[in-house]
Amino acid sequence: MRDHSPAGRLADELASGDVRFTISNGQVTGLEHVIGSRTIAAGPPADATFTVGTGTVTETLTRGTATATLTYTVDADDAGLYHLTQEVRSFDTTAATTPTYGFTVSGGAVTAMTQTFGTSGWAHSVAVGDLAASVFTVEGSTVTETAIRGNTLATLRYTTTDGTTYKLASETLTVVPVGTAQTALDVEPYERMRFTFDGATVSAAQSVKADGTAVDVHLGTTVAYALAAAGYVVETITRGNHSYYEVFHDGNGDGIYTAVAHGQGTTVDLVGLQSQITAQIDALL
C-alpha cells in the first residue's frame, strides 16, 4: 500500500540532496549537484539566498506563497561535499488556492482526514487508521502529523482559525544521518510483521496487511528469522550463493515489527542502526 497522506508524499519528495558548493569570501558563487558518481554543474538560483555557516550552508527560496529553507551539512570526510539534512517549508494560510483539510477528532485523537483541493472542490479522504509509521496529535488549533519514510522524518503542522477548516502551515523534512553505521536506516512502513517467540527463537511469523489483518509466513530453509535484540528481528533470505537481509523493529511495543533496514549478505551493523533510531522515531514504529 502506498502512503497517500501528505506526510508520506512529502517524505518521498526529499530525494538525494548532495551538492558541491563553490564558496568565495563567505559567499556561494557556484554549485554542482552530485548524483552517485556524476556531478551536474548548475548556477545558484536567481531567486535564492545563501548563508554560509560553520559546516553548513543554508538556502532560502520563496516561490509563490511558499518559502523553503534548506540546510546542507558538510560531509565528515570531504570538506567540499554537502548533504541536504533538513528542509523547512512554510505556507501562506490565507491564500485561497491552497488545499484545505478537515479532521475528525474523537477523544483527542484524529480518526479521519479529508483533503479538498483549491477551487475545484475535489475531496480526497485519507484512511488515517490504515496509515503506518504515522502519528497525528492535536493541540489547541493545531494538528501535527509526524511520519517516518526511508531515512526522512516528516513533520506537518495544520492550523485553523474557525475550528473546522485547516490549512497546511509548515512542513519539516529531516534526514536521519547514517554517520559511521554500516547499516543505514531505510523504513518501509508497509512491510510489517508479527512474530511468536519461544524464548529467543522465532517460532512463527505473520505478514501484517495495511488493514491490520495478518497472514502466516512459512518458515522454510531459504527464509530464517532471528531475534537480534529486544524489539529487533533479522530476516535472512538465501537463494543459491546469495543472501539478503531485512531488519524489522517494534519501537512502540505494539507487537508489530516494521522493516527499518535491508541489504545484501548476512552481516547487520545493529549498533549502528540503533544509533539512527531516536525516541521520536521509535514512537512511530
Side-chain angles (χ1 to χ4, degrees), residues 98-125:
T98 58
T100 59
Y101 300 85
F103 295 98
T104 301
V105 180
S106 177
V110 172
T111 58
M113 174 184 181
T114 302
Q115 180 180 17
T116 303
F117 294 86
T119 57
S120 69
W122 182 78
H124 169 69
S125 295

Side-chain angles (χ1 to χ4, degrees), residues 40-210:
I40 302 174
D47 52 355
T49 59
F50 293 87
T51 302
V52 179
T54 302
T56 62
V57 171
T58 302
E59 177 184 5
T60 303
L61 183 65
T62 299
R63 289 177 179 169
T65 61
T67 298
T69 302
L70 293 79
T71 301
Y72 298 87
T73 303
V74 69
D75 186 88
D77 300 316
D78 186 343
L81 179 64
Y82 287 75
H83 307 286
L84 178 61
T85 52
Q86 187 176 78
E87 180 173 351
V88 180
R89 308 171 191 171
S90 58
F91 304 94
D92 179 6
T93 58
T94 64
T97 57
T98 58
T100 59
Y101 300 85
F103 295 98
T104 301
V105 180
S106 177
V110 172
T111 58
M113 174 184 181
T114 302
Q115 180 180 17
T116 303
F117 294 86
T119 57
S120 69
W122 182 78
H124 169 69
S125 295
V126 176
V128 172
D130 291 344
L131 294 179
S134 298
V135 170
F136 288 84
T137 57
V138 182
E139 185 175 353
S141 60
T142 301
V143 171
T144 301
E145 178 185 3
T146 307
I148 181 73
R149 302 289 184 268
N151 68 338
T152 302
L153 186 68
T155 304
L156 284 72
R157 293 178 58 254
Y158 307 86
T159 60
T160 180
T161 56
D162 61 8
T164 301
T165 301
Y166 288 76
K167 287 194 174 183
L168 181 61
S170 68
E171 64 199 24
T172 300
L173 306 178
T174 303
V175 176
V176 179
V178 67
T180 59
Q182 299 302 304
T183 299
L185 179 69
D186 188 3
V187 176
E188 296 286 351
Y190 293 99
E191 287 189 35
R192 301 184 296 170
M193 302 286 291
R194 285 187 182 275
F195 299 104
T196 302
F197 300 96
D198 182 4
T201 301
V202 176
S203 57
Q206 293 180 310
S207 175
V208 179
K209 297 181 179 181

Side-chain angles (χ1 to χ4, degrees), residues 3-27:
D3 185 352
H4 293 284
S5 74
R9 295 197 304 272
L10 291 167
D12 290 341
E13 291 176 10
L14 191 57
S16 173
D18 292 348
V19 174
R20 289 191 178 276
F21 290 107
T22 302
I23 299 174
S24 178
N25 296 322
Q27 301 294 321

